[in-house]
Amino acid sequence: MSQERLTSLILCFLVWQLLINHSNAAVDAAGGSWQLLQKSIGISAMHLQQLYDDSVIIFDRTDFGPSNLSLPDGKCRDDPNEQALTHDCTAHSAKYSVVSNTFQALEVLTDVWCSSGSAMPDGRLVQTGGYNDGEKNIRVVLPCPTCDWQEFPNGLTARRWYATNHLLPDGRQIIIGGRKQFNYEFYPKTATTSGVFNLSFLSETNDPSQENNLYPFVHLNVDGNLFIFANNRAILLDYNNGVVVKTYPQIPGADPRNYPSTGSSVLLPLKNLQSGNVEAEVLICGGAPRNSYLKAQKGTFMTALNTCGRIKITDASPSWVMETMPIPRTMGDMILLPNGNVLIINGVQNGAAGWELGRNAVLSPVLYQPDNPVGSRFEVQNPSTIARAYHSTAILLRDGQVLVGGSNPHKKYEFTNVIFPTELSLEAFSPDYLNAGVSNLRPQILSPRTQSQVGYGQNLLVRFSLAGQVNTSAISVTMVAPSFTTHSFSQSQRLLVLSGIGKILLNGKNIFQMQVITPGSGNLAPAAFYMFYVVHQGIPSPGIWVQLQ
Ligand SMILES: *[C@@H]1O[C@H](CO)[C@@H](O)[C@H](O)[C@H]1NC(C)=O
Ligand SMILES: *[C@@H]1O[C@H](CO)[C@@H](O)[C@H](O)[C@H]1NC(C)=O
Ligand SMILES: *[C@@H]1O[C@H](CO)[C@@H](O)[C@H](O)[C@H]1NC(C)=O
């Protein structure tokens, strides 16, 4: 090889390296990375609930035929009411263990399709309703290695299909709405709260040709009332007295945001919890224009909404502030990250929710940074390679990753010759804060110990280590409630930023301690297990679980 040829080859190689490094840098700058955790868990993850033992209870529906996961020990389920298979030897629920990245089949007895639920104060999952023989049932899963579903027939007064639940300050759950149910009920029931309570707001927002008010967005306000958004309107409900205490203005544009237009919503992080005057803001993003569902059935797939509405629900005269997302999206999930940012993930750019009605997957999540100035809040993240359309899900894990699964816009499992094949995989999205490059900034919690119990309004000593230099003015402590997630909405999701008192003190080499005050009431934070983080310059520690009680 001539000297000249060799030189040019080396040059080529260097340029190529430069390009590679450069493109890697560009990709990193876009934010976040993806990991395939499981190619197939055998079922499609339509509903997710993480429990305090780091297991994720996953379930789909029982009435569409076999899944790709067998029940253990050659077991089969015989259900004469089942619509597809009355003798079914496959599972429709699974437990995923985050730490070991393993899964096992669970056995759910009746149909849990399009249902709702919440973790209870003691950490149990209580799930409500579904379809057909499951529509009035209550089911329980305990956090334990060998625990399976327990079923309580007729635990509900009304059938609940596409309802939204929320954990309440007194430890009950409220179950709101559902198909043809313009009312709510409670679990558990007492003598005075055993029936259903009418909510005319749900019939007023029901558009009979396309509903558009199912899976309403429900957030517990800091005054103990419930913010309920359905279709394009919102109220504040005193559920104990059945009184609408506030009616919010219609969201600008008037387009619907709930199923089957399916946008999503979060309660933004609650701060200054000691102030006695805590402000609460709700963010709603995406959805599909009115009639998208009807048009998609006729083959016209309208572009999804690209707007978010943000409203301070505690204001005396609240008003919506509209912002524009970089990508239109329907059927996206909104996930509160430990540092208070919101991840908008999954979904499609055209069509509506329902069988076969979505087109054009949105593979890139978008980060929303609520404390940035308007105009610099959104940041497009690196894309996945897997489309997550109708019936996809996402939740925050204790380690700060976002678990992503599901997607099955078909009446059965369909793996070939369809636009969005049924997805049985689980992925993890790691936001930039998990990059190895920032590990020097990452706190590690030393105390409290995981699964500690903490009371309300309590002084809590938090000790953490940090390899690099601490910036004491950029430390916060946050608590995130693990949500029940389905149909692009995370029920009972909330994040609290705890107030610190006094200085952060050095307590040994690279070990620090600080005092925080736990939330003062169940209105701020219902009793439950929370993921608990120390956040330093936007970089969260690995979380621990604390039980607020
Ligand atoms: C699920 O099972 C079906 C039928 O046996 C098979 O065709 C399909 O490839 C399986 N899919 C996955 C993702 O395992
Ligand atoms: C609740 O709504 C139902 C159905 O619309 C109606 O029959 C019933 O009278 C209502 N109950 C009350 C207490 O308003
Ligand atoms: C420390 O954090 C504060 C608050 O985020 C920030 O304004 C400041 O620039 C940081 N200081 C250093 C040295 O990074």
Side-chain angles (χ1 to χ4, degrees):
M1 197 182 287
S2 74
Q3 184 70 32
E4 198 180 321
R5 184 100 197 276
L6 189 67
T7 312
S8 80
L9 256 175
I10 289 173
L11 245 162
C12 255
F13 177 76
L14 286 176
V15 168
W16 177 69
Q17 278 287 310
L18 227 138
L19 278 174
I20 285 205
N21 286 337
H22 182 80
S23 67
N24 274 349
V27 166
D28 283 349
S33 61
W34 288 87
Q35 188 193 352
L36 186 65
L37 297 172
Q38 291 288 343
K39 196 163 183 298
S40 169
I41 57 165
I43 68 164
S44 194
M46 192 193 291
H47 314 75
L48 300 180
Q49 171 76 58
Q50 184 184 201
L51 302 179
Y52 69 82
D53 63 354
D54 291 318
S55 64
V56 181
I57 306 303
I58 304 177
F59 57 100
D60 192 354
R61 39 188 289 232
T62 60
D63 63 345
F64 54 82
S67 75
N68 284 46
L69 179 66
S70 296
L71 284 170
D73 313 321
K75 250 205 235 171
C76 300
R77 189 177 56 96
D78 291 292
D79 180 354
N81 297 315
E82 203 51 271
Q83 300 199 328
L85 274 181
T86 52
H87 178 72
D88 188 351
C89 304
T90 66
H92 303 288
S93 176
K95 181 191 316 213
Y96 174 70
S97 300
V98 178
V99 178
S100 58
N101 188 22
T102 56
F103 61 93
Q104 70 195 75
L106 296 180
E107 186 180 21
V108 64
L109 298 175
T110 56
D111 200 0
V112 282
W113 183 21
C114 297
S115 61
S116 48
S118 171
M120 298 301 278
D122 62 2
R124 282 175 299 157
L125 164 63
V126 171
Q127 176 276 354
T128 57
Y131 185 64
N132 191 29
D133 62 353
E135 66 189 13
K136 284 187 170 181
N137 288 11
I138 287 180
R139 304 171 191 81
V140 174
V141 188
L142 299 170
C144 102
T146 56
C147 290
D148 211 324
W149 290 83
Q150 296 169 269
E151 190 122 4
F152 301 92
N154 294 310
L156 294 172
T157 304
R159 59 193 289 256
R160 300 289 171 186
W161 195 33
Y162 297 84
T164 299
N165 296 18
H166 206 293
L167 186 63
L168 297 175
D170 62 8
R172 290 179 299 167
Q173 281 188 55
I174 189 168
I175 303 116
I176 302 177
R179 277 208 136 126
K180 300 192 166 62
Q181 295 299 337
F182 310 122
N183 54 53
Y184 57 91
E185 63 183 288
F186 298 94
Y187 173 84
K189 297 185 188 309
T190 62
T192 54
T193 63
S194 62
V196 301
F197 300 86
N198 284 356
L199 184 56
S200 60
F201 171 71
L202 292 175
S203 49
E204 290 156 18
T205 50
N206 180 49
D207 180 343
S209 67
Q210 51 201 299
E211 293 170 297
N212 273 325
N213 70 348
L214 298 178
Y215 281 119
F217 304 143
V218 178
H219 301 292
L220 175 65
N221 192 13
V222 294
D223 63 1
N225 294 314
L226 289 171
F227 174 90
I228 306 176
F229 184 100
N231 199 327
N232 56 15
R233 291 174 45 197
I235 55 166
L236 192 62
L237 177 70
D238 169 356
Y239 54 85
N240 282 318
N241 297 303
V243 176
V244 174
V245 293
K246 192 182 275 189
T247 299
Y248 294 92
Q250 191 184 68
I251 195 166
D255 281 313
R257 305 280 176 162
N258 297 89
Y259 180 95
S261 279
T262 310
S264 191
S265 173
V266 288
L267 179 70
L268 290 174
L270 299 174
K271 301 174 191 169
N272 305 316
L273 304 182
Q274 300 311 113
S275 71
N277 190 18
V278 182
E279 293 182 334
E281 282 186 278
V282 166
L283 181 70
I284 292 174
C285 292
R290 187 163 303 286
N291 300 326
S292 290
Y293 177 74
L294 302 177
K295 288 191 178 162
Q297 285 175 327
K298 298 204 168 87
T300 301
F301 302 93
M302 294 175 82
T303 302
L305 302 176
N306 66 352
T307 53
C308 297
R310 181 166 165 170
I311 190 166
K312 198 171 279 180
I313 64 173
T314 43
D315 260 8
S317 42
S319 62
W320 292 94
V321 177
M322 301 306 287
E323 298 176 66
T324 304
M325 295 190 284
I327 315 170
R329 191 182 306 249
T330 178
M331 293 173 262
D333 281 275
M334 291 171 72
I335 307 298
L336 290 165
L337 300 178
N339 62 5
N341 288 337
V342 180
L343 189 72
I344 308 170
I345 191 167
N346 296 342
V348 301
Q349 285 197 55
N350 293 83
W355 303 134
E356 317 296 341
L357 299 183
R359 293 292 183 277
N360 202 2
V362 192
L363 297 171
S364 296
V366 166
L367 194 66
Y368 178 83
Q369 300 157 102
D371 295 335
N372 281 10
V374 177
S376 62
R377 287 182 178 157
F378 295 101
E379 186 187 273
V380 178
Q381 305 290 291
N382 288 319
S384 173
T385 53
I386 301 175
R388 301 285 177 181
Y390 185 41
H391 288 154
S392 61
T393 44
I395 53 166
L396 175 69
L397 297 178
R398 184 173 56 82
D399 62 10
Q401 296 189 95
V402 173
L403 180 72
V404 177
S407 184
N408 181 25
H410 318 293
K411 283 186 183 149
K412 300 184 299 182
Y413 282 8
E414 302 271 7
F415 301 101
T416 48
N417 303 322
V418 287
I419 297 174
F420 297 123
T422 301
E423 263 310 325
L424 309 181
S425 64
L426 290 182
E427 285 173 287
F429 176 76
S430 294
D432 261 353
Y433 58 56
L434 290 172
N435 287 353
V438 294
S439 57
N440 242 24
L441 299 175
R442 189 184 321 286
Q444 304 284 336
I445 298 176
L446 303 172
S447 72
R449 299 263 286 272
T450 193
Q451 297 185 6
S452 292
Q453 296 173 344
V454 300
Y456 283 97
Q458 183 189 315
N459 264 359
L460 185 68
L461 183 69
V462 180
R463 289 174 69 234
F464 60 93
S465 63
L466 194 64
Q469 283 226 316
V470 71
N471 177 345
T472 50
S473 36
I475 294 265
S476 59
V477 172
T478 61
M479 284 172 52
V480 188
S483 53
F484 181 100
T485 299
T486 189
H487 288 77
S488 309
F489 182 64
S490 287
Q491 304 174 18
S492 299
Q493 184 177 221
R494 68 203 288 110
L495 185 151
L496 301 115
V497 182
L498 303 194
S499 305
I501 35 175
K503 285 210 168 110
I504 295 171
L505 298 174
L506 194 63
N507 178 4
K509 188 174 170 359
N510 295 337
I511 296 177
F512 302 88
Q513 67 181 47
M514 66 187 293
Q515 296 268 0
V516 294
I517 308 178
T518 60
S521 77
N523 291 350
L524 294 174
F529 281 87
Y530 287 79
M531 293 175 272
F532 184 96
Y533 300 91
V534 173
V535 184
H536 177 227
Q537 296 192 168
I539 314 294
S541 65
I544 59 166
W545 290 99
V546 300
Q547 186 183 18
L548 181 65
Q549 58 169 24

